[in-house]
């Protein structure tokens, strides 16, 4: 056999090997893709119910006697009187007039349970905002239904929590077109609540925003400064080697350890308040710092020496060389590190549990010193709640978290492209 | 690399009984004078006892085979070797009577006086204008934007680039051709008004036409600047320089007027090199 024949004989085997490798590669990519699609599909289908809510139309009488106010029209109605109105009773009265057949105590109780607890607050707000409604025509208002009614009506799924009597009530409402499903804006504008129909993610969303803002403000400058110092100015000795090893190790420390550290240092030692985005952001900064430092150092190291020489040769000082030439050139790489770090911080849950950001907080935070929770913790909390309506809320929150992440990354990529164009 | 191996392998190419530099290595009224300069990178010595004077307003070419220390020598003249931690320089290097390696000599100030053009064109990733304006700006050489404009234009004119780029001063410097980039780098160096310009194989990455333009430019610049040029091309050394120093294995073998070196070399090594027996 001459050489050509030997090569020819082996060729088939070589090509087969290449084909096989390509197949493995494609299979790996496809399986990853399938899992991703499955995940997104599952979350999206579960999340859809959270974006709509069942509402019931009630006729609320506005005459003074129904409101329990003095019927003497000469008496003006002050704020105190408005605040003293029994709004819960008013909602109940409207329900009773809708269903006069419910006379037994048990039936009435079931009837009242059709409505969400939020109805009375909504009504109260309405009258406080416009006291002129009093003495006017009866108001027709769409109030939110209770979450069990919502689940039953929206998903046509009967749970043991809806009694036969209530099914009848709902059927009668339906024939009169007094029940509907509407967009659930409250999901985006409300804070957390024990009642699924009133629970929203604005609190967690803003909590995440404030926390990440603190993280970014702390970890980006500190990370870049540390990377520049270590890469450009620090003397090469055992101490810097030791620091480098430690930074690399820190990147692998479980995040809950950082939570404990934050609890010990920021809350117990420095006496910062619990559950606030400031402390959460500081803890997350500790977690993202190693990532940012390592990637920034790599980016700085990759700036070509010819550029440094050009600057030094013109008489730029070391500092001018770094800040005028090296850093702008390294910026895209630095930002890539920052993106990875911030994405990591956005999804971090465990360390925030340690510093109390897992508390039940209804109010929407207005700043870094207001008690808050964050999106992943909100998911954790709702996934743990017994009411079935929270399942949809959990899935919807995951979608919002993914959207938040996408927006954040898109911004960072735009910024990175901008810096890439600059060089 | 191969040549280098050949060089060390062949005994006829070794320096033999090297005593000291042959020829006219010292001058009266030198711009830069160096005496007994030794440079080492860690354990490896790169330059042995180099003594060379560099005359005012003339071009001196440093020639020699790869790894002979000519670039290292050049980089000592504006302390660019400072950035390499293991590099040790001893001996005397004087710029107009001032010790280049003295404690009180600030490398930043030194490099403003002794500019450098590198082998590979390395414009900043900024506009053509900003490339030239950078030096004057960091050194505060211009008091107003109009002055910066003036410096940029005259520098580009001196580098023979202005006519080609006057319509696109805001285009990135990296968008120019290789030869134009190198002239931009020269303009950038001139903008700081240095006294000496060091050029490390400035034309080695360029085509013959761009090289000819650069060589012409070097000849013009000689009127106002002292130029030290490292080159691999003996023809280039012959064309642009008034004096030539031949380096071999870290030593300055022979120095003299370029005409004399190329027509009547005294040392055998110099002759072998310029006649193309090796290198």
């Amino acid at each position: 056999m001459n050489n050509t024949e030997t090569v020819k004989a082996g060729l088939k085997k070589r090509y087969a090997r290449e084909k096989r490798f390509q197949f493995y590669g494609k299979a790996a990519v496809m399986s990853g893709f399938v899992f991703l699609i499955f995940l997104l599909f599952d979350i999206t289908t579960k999340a859809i119910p959270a974006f709509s809510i069942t509402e019931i139309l009630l006729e609320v009488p506005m005459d003074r006697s129904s409101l329990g106010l003095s019927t003497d029209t000469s008496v003006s109605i002050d704020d105190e009187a408005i605040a003293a109105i029994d709004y819960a009773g008013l909602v109940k009265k409207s329900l009773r007039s809708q269903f006069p057949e419910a006379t037994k105590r048990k039936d009435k109780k079931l009837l009242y349970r059709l409505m969400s607890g939020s109805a009375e607050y909504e009504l109260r707000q309405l009258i406080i905002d416009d006291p002129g409604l009093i003495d006017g025509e009866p108001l027709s208002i769409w109030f939110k239904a209770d979450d069990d009614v919502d689940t039953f009506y929206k998903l046509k799924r009967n749970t043991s929590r809806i009694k036969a009597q209530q099914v009848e009530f709902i059927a009668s409402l339906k024939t009169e077109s007094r029940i509907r499903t509407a967009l659930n804006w409250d999901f985006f504008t409300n804070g957390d609540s024990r009642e699924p129909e009133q629970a929203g993610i604005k609190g967690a969303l803003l909590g995440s925003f404030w926390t990440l803002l603190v993280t970014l403000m702390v970890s980006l400058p500190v990370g870049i400064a540390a990377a520049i110092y270590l890469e450009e100015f620090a003397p090469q000795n055992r101490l810097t080697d030791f620091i480098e090893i430690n930074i690399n190790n820190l990147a692998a420390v479980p995040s809950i350890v950082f939570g404990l550290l934050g609890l010990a240092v920021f809350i117990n030692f420095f006496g910062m308040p619990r559950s606030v985005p400031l402390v959460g952001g500081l803890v997350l900064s500790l977690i993202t710092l190693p990532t940012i430092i390592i990637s920034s150092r790599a980016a700085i190291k990759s700036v070509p020496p010819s550029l440094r020489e050009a600057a030094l040769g013109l008489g730029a000082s070391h500092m001018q060389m770094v800040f005028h030439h090296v850093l702008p050139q390294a910026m895209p790489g630095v930002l890539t590190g920052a993106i990875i770090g911030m994405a990591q911080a956005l999804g971090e849950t465990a360390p925030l549990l340690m510093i109390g950001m897992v508390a039940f907080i209804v109010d929407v935070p207005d700043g870094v010193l207001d008690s808050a929770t964050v999106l992943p913790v909100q998911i954790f909390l709702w996934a743990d709640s017994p009411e079935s309506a929270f399942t949809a809320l959990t899935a919807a929150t995951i979608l919002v978290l993914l959207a938040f992440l996408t927006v954040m990354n898109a911004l960072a990529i735009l910024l990175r492209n901008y810096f890439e164009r600059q060089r | 690399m191969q040549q280098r191996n050949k060089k060390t392998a062949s005994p006829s190419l070794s320096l033999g009984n090297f005593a000291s530099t042959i020829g006219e290595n010292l001058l009266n009224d030198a711009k830069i004078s160096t005496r007994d300069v030794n440079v080492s990178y860690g354990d490896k010595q790169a330059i042995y006892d180099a003594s060379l004077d560099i005359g005012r307003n003339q071009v001196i070419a440093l020639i020699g085979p790869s790894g002979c220390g000519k670039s290292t020598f050049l980089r000592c003249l504006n302390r660019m070797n400072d950035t390499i931690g293991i590099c040790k320089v001893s001996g005397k290097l004087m710029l107009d009577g001032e010790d280049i390696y003295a404690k009180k000599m600030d490398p930043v100030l030194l490099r403003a006086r002794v500019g450098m053009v590198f082998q590979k064109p390395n414009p900043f990733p900024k506009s053509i204008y900003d490339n030239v304006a950078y030096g004057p700006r960091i050194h505060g050489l211009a008091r107003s934007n109009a002055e910066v404009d003036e410096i940029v234009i005259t520098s580009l004119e001196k580098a023979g680039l202005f006519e080609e780029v006057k319509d696109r001063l805001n285009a990135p410097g990296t968008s120019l051709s290789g030869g134009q980039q190198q002239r931009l780098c020269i303009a950038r160096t001139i903008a700081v008004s240095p006294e000496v310009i060091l050029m490390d194989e400035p034309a080695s990455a360029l085509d013959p036409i761009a090289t000819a333009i650069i060589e012409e430019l070097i000849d013009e610049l000689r009127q106002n600047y002292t130029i030290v040029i490292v080159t691999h091309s003996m023809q280039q050394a012959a064309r642009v320089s008034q004096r030539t120093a031949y380096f071999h294995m870290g030593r300055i073998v022979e120095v003299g007027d370029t005409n004399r070196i190329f027509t009547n070399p005294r040392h055998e090594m110099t002759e072998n090199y310029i006649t193309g027996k090796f290198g």
Side-chain angles (χ1 to χ4, degrees), chain B residues 3 35 39 65 79 101-102 124 126 135 181 204 211 238 255 268:
Chain B
Q3 290 168 346
R35 295 290 180 275
V39 183
R79 287 178 62 174
Y101 277 84
F124 298 127
K126 298 173 189 282
Q181 285 190 18
S204 68
T211 302
V255 183
E268 191 194 351

Side-chain angles (χ1 to χ4, degrees), chain B residues 88-101:
Chain B
K88 293 274 176 300
V89 179
S90 65
K92 254 203 149 90
L93 293 99
M94 312 291 270
L95 170 66
D96 275 335
E98 286 176 72
D99 187 353
I100 290 174
Y101 277 84

Side-chain angles (χ1 to χ4, degrees), chain A residues 306-307 309-317 320-321 324-325 329 422-423, chain B residues 75 80 83 108 111 115-116 118 122 124-126 134 138-139 188-189 192:
Chain A
S306 66
L307 191 68
E309 287 190 329
L312 290 179
L314 273 180
S317 65
Q320 284 170 329
M321 177 194 85
H324 296 167
H325 302 286
Q329 198 72 2
Q422 291 291 298
R423 63 180 188 183
Chain B
R75 294 164 75 91
M80 280 301 279
T83 52
V108 169
R111 289 174 197 146
M116 188 156 189
F118 297 86
N122 55 355
F124 298 127
K126 298 173 189 282
Y134 182 70
I138 57 168
H139 294 302
R188 182 176 71 185
T189 307
V192 189

Side-chain angles (χ1 to χ4, degrees), chain A residues 140-153:
Chain A
S140 294
I141 306 168
W142 288 99
F143 288 113
K144 266 193 249 178
D146 183 71
D147 63 299
D148 291 321
V149 176
D150 183 47
T151 312
F152 171 77
Y153 184 74

